[in-house]
Amino acid sequence: MNHPDRSIPHDANAPVETLYVGKWLSLRKRGRWEYAERNNPGGAVIILAVTPEDKVLFVEQYRVSILKNTIEMPAGLVGDLHEHGDEDVLLAAGRELEEETGYRCERLEFVHEGPSSSGMSTEMIAFVRAWGLQKVGPGGGDESENIVVHEVPRKEAGAWLFARAAEGYSIDPKLFAGLWFIEHTGLAMPG
C-alpha cells in the first residue's frame, strides 16, 4: 500500500496561475497541472427523474463543444444566474427539472457528489433524485436552449441509450451511474 504523503505530486501545492477567465470557465495552472474551473461556486446537478408511469426522463440537445447531439439526464449549473446566486443543489435541481422537462416534483433527495472529470476540472456534480413528478409545462429549456425531452420506460433505458449511441448521439457515461442510482437508492420511498 502506498503511503498517502508519497502519492501527492511535488507541485500539488504550487501557487495557482490564472491563464484565462471567461464568463463561465477559467483556465488555471498549478505547477505542471492545467485545469478548468467553473466560475459559479455551486458546481452542477444531475436530476434522476422517473415519471409516475415508470419512465426515466432524458434530455437531448446539441453541444457545441463536441459538435454533436447528446443524450443527458436533466441537469444544470447551481447558482449560474444572478437571481439564483445563493441557491443550493436541491433548489437548482427543482428549477432545472421544471425548466428542461416541464415536470415539477414533490420532493428532492441528495444522492451523491463527485468530480465531473477530476483530471481536468474542479467542477463537482451532485446527483439528486426527484420524487413525485407532475407534468406542469412543456419543458424544452430556457430561451438559449433547444431541448427535446425523452420519456423512456425504466426497464428499457440502458438499451435505448445504446441504440441512440449507434445512431450517432453522444451518450454521457454519467447516465449509467444515474440509472444505477435510480435502481439502488430510496428503494423504500414512493416514486
Side-chain angles (χ1 to χ4, degrees):
M1 182 171 164
N2 289 338
H3 189 274
D5 292 340
R6 287 186 231 153
S7 64
I8 298 172
H10 72 280
D11 53 355
N13 292 314
V16 174
E17 297 175 54
T18 299
L19 305 175
Y20 172 80
V21 176
K23 181 177 180 182
W24 302 106
L25 294 172
S26 294
L27 183 59
R28 311 269 192 220
K29 182 176 181 183
R30 183 187 298 266
R32 62 194 155 121
W33 307 96
E34 295 176 347
Y35 56 94
E37 186 172 87
R38 284 265 182 214
N39 292 340
N40 67 305
V45 62
I46 296 173
I47 302 102
L48 310 168
V50 181
T51 70
E53 298 78 28
D54 203 30
K55 294 181 178 180
V56 179
L57 297 181
F58 294 107
V59 294
E60 172 187 333
Q61 59 186 316
Y62 190 82
R63 293 294 194 176
V64 173
S65 59
I66 61 171
L67 301 176
K68 280 189 160 190
N69 278 313
T70 65
I71 303 292
E72 305 166 2
M73 287 179 165
L77 298 177
V78 178
D80 60 332
L81 302 173
H82 179 68
E83 64 270 19
H84 300 293
D86 61 347
E87 73 183 346
D88 66 15
V89 168
L90 296 180
L91 285 172
R95 175 178 56 82
E96 291 288 351
L97 176 66
E98 187 171 341
E99 181 182 290
E100 291 190 0
T101 69
Y103 277 90
R104 191 174 292 155
C105 64
E106 293 174 1
R107 185 169 58 86
L108 293 159
E109 174 188 11
F110 174 85
V111 176
H112 181 72
E113 182 180 67
S116 63
S117 178
S118 61
M120 76 148 244
S121 174
T122 62
E123 179 181 61
M124 297 298 281
I125 294 181
F127 284 86
V128 170
R129 179 73 151 95
W131 298 97
L133 271 61
Q134 300 169 344
K135 186 76 168 166
V136 296
D142 65 23
E143 63 279 349
S144 70
E145 299 170 309
N146 186 19
I147 293 173
V148 176
V149 180
H150 297 280
E151 298 184 19
V152 180
R154 186 172 46 88
K155 293 188 184 315
E156 300 168 17
W160 184 85
L161 290 171
F162 283 119
R164 300 297 76 74
E167 293 171 0
Y169 286 88
S170 176
I171 307 300
D172 184 339
K174 291 183 290 300
L175 297 182
F176 296 99
L179 291 175
W180 189 90
F181 287 138
I182 287 170
E183 295 299 324
H184 294 92
T185 57
L187 296 176
M189 298 178 193

